[in-house]
Amino acid sequence: MTIETILPIPNIFEAKRILCIQPHYDDNDIAAAGILTHLAKNGAEIIYLTVTNDLMGVVDDSLSDEEAARVLTRDQFAAAKIVGVQEQYWLGYPDAGEYGYFDVRRDLLKYIRLLKPDFIFTCDPWLTYEAHHDHIQTGLATSEAVMFAGLTKIASSDPEVDSAYEGHSIQGIAFYFTREPNLIADISSTWKEKIGALRCYEAQFSPADMEQLLVAMDAKSQQVAQGQSFARGEPLKVLHTNALHVGI
Ligand SMILES: [Zn+2]
C-alpha cells in the first residue's frame, strides 16, 4: 500500500464541471487555455471566476474605469467563445489593491457551494518567486475554500447558499503557473485555439507586447513537452483535495 493508492492523483479527464478561479481576466487562458479547450471539447462544463477587476493592466490610460471594464469583458467573452467557457463570474476586488484574504475566501466558498464543481483550476500560490499578491491570495483562498467547502460552520459570504448546501464531491484541484508539475497536458491539438484566445486580450497588451507573449508561450509550450510523446504542453500540479493539508 502506498500513499498514491490511497490518494491517487485525480484524473482531470474525468472532470465534468470545472470551476477555474483566476486573479485576473487572462490568467486561466495564458496558463491553461489549451487543456481547458480540450476538456470542453470532451464535454466538460467550464466556468470561469475572476477575483479582481484587472483595471491596472489596461494599456489605454485614457479610458474611464467603466470603459476599461467594458473592453476587458469584451475581450474575455471573445476568448471564452474560443475556449468553450459556458459561464463567468466576477468578484471585482481591486487589481493589485488592498483587500482582505478572508473576504475572498468567503466569496469563493459561496461560489463553490453554489456551483458545485467537481474539479477546480487555479494558480499555484506556492510558486517560487511569485511576487503578485493577487496570485498568492487567489491560489491560497481557493485552496482553503476547496478544503472547507463541506464544512458549513465555516461561513461563506452568503448565508442562504450555506443553508441550502447539501455537500458534493470535489475530485481534485489543478494548479497552473507551477514549477512542480505532476502532469504535462498535451495541448498540441488545441494550440491554435489557445493562441486565438490569447489574441482576444487586446485591452491588456499592446500589439508588440502581444507578439512577445505569444513568442514566449510558443517556446514555453515546447520546452515543457520535452521528453514527452507530444510537441506542446501545459504544466499542472494536480492534487487530491485531501492532499491540501499537512503534506500527505
Ligand atoms: Zn494575473
Side-chain angles (χ1 to χ4, degrees):
M1 183 72 76
T2 65
I3 192 66
E4 286 76 18
T5 57
I6 302 165
L7 286 184
I9 294 171
N11 185 353
I12 59 169
F13 299 99
E14 290 176 359
K16 293 183 172 58
R17 189 166 163 81
I18 304 171
L19 177 60
C20 308
I21 300 174
Q22 60 184 351
H24 307 111
Y25 278 48
D26 53 0
D27 289 311
N28 286 337
D29 288 340
I30 289 174
I35 184 61
L36 292 171
T37 301
H38 180 93
L39 295 171
K41 284 183 177 181
N42 276 6
E45 281 178 84
I46 310 288
I47 305 165
Y48 277 12
L49 187 152
T50 306
V51 171
T52 75
N53 59 21
D54 213 8
L55 289 178
M56 297 302 117
V58 175
V59 176
D60 185 350
D61 285 341
S62 69
L63 298 180
S64 67
D65 283 355
E66 290 72 26
E67 288 166 332
R70 198 161 51 242
V71 292
L72 284 168
T73 310
R74 173 203 68 196
D75 293 354
Q76 201 177 22
F77 275 112
K81 209 170 172 185
I82 295 171
V83 174
V85 178
Q86 295 187 358
E87 294 172 45
Q88 301 216 44
Y89 299 87
W90 299 266
L91 300 185
Y93 286 94
D95 185 12
E98 293 181 31
Y99 54 91
Y101 171 80
F102 289 100
D103 292 332
V104 177
R105 195 184 78 177
R106 272 190 287 275
D107 280 341
L108 295 180
L109 278 168
K110 168 188 168 180
Y111 280 98
I112 289 171
R113 288 172 185 162
L114 186 69
L115 300 170
K116 299 186 175 67
D118 64 358
F119 228 101
I120 304 276
F121 275 56
T122 194
C123 52
D124 184 346
W126 303 282
L127 173 68
T128 47
Y129 307 109
E130 174 57 70
H132 205 310
H133 199 54
D134 293 341
H135 280 234
I136 297 165
Q137 294 251 72
T138 296
L140 198 54
T142 300
S143 303
E144 277 209 310
V146 164
M147 219 171 29
F148 298 149
L151 304 175
T152 46
K153 277 190 192 171
I154 300 175
S156 84
S157 54
D158 190 332
E160 281 184 27
V161 169
D162 292 353
S163 60
Y165 181 66
E166 292 173 342
H168 82 291
S169 173
I170 302 174
Q171 304 300 316
I173 182 165
F175 294 104
Y176 55 69
F177 294 147
T178 183
R179 284 191 218 281
E180 297 185 53
N182 57 5
L183 173 71
I184 305 296
D186 178 2
I187 61 160
S188 308
S189 67
T190 52
W191 176 247
K192 271 197 190 124
E193 285 92 335
K194 174 161 187 168
I195 294 302
L198 295 186
R199 282 196 183 281
C200 295
Y201 290 103
E202 294 174 0
Q204 299 181 88
F205 294 95
S206 67
D209 285 346
M210 174 59 75
E211 291 315 310
Q212 199 173 35
L213 171 72
L214 297 180
V215 167
M217 299 303 299
D218 185 39
K220 176 90 179 179
S221 72
Q222 295 185 63
Q223 190 181 324
V224 300
Q226 278 173 13
Q228 307 284 338
S229 60
F230 46 82
R232 295 182 186 279
E234 283 169 345
L236 297 171
K237 177 76 165 189
V238 185
L239 293 179
H240 191 286
T241 56
N242 289 351
L244 284 170
H245 184 44
V246 300
I248 292 174

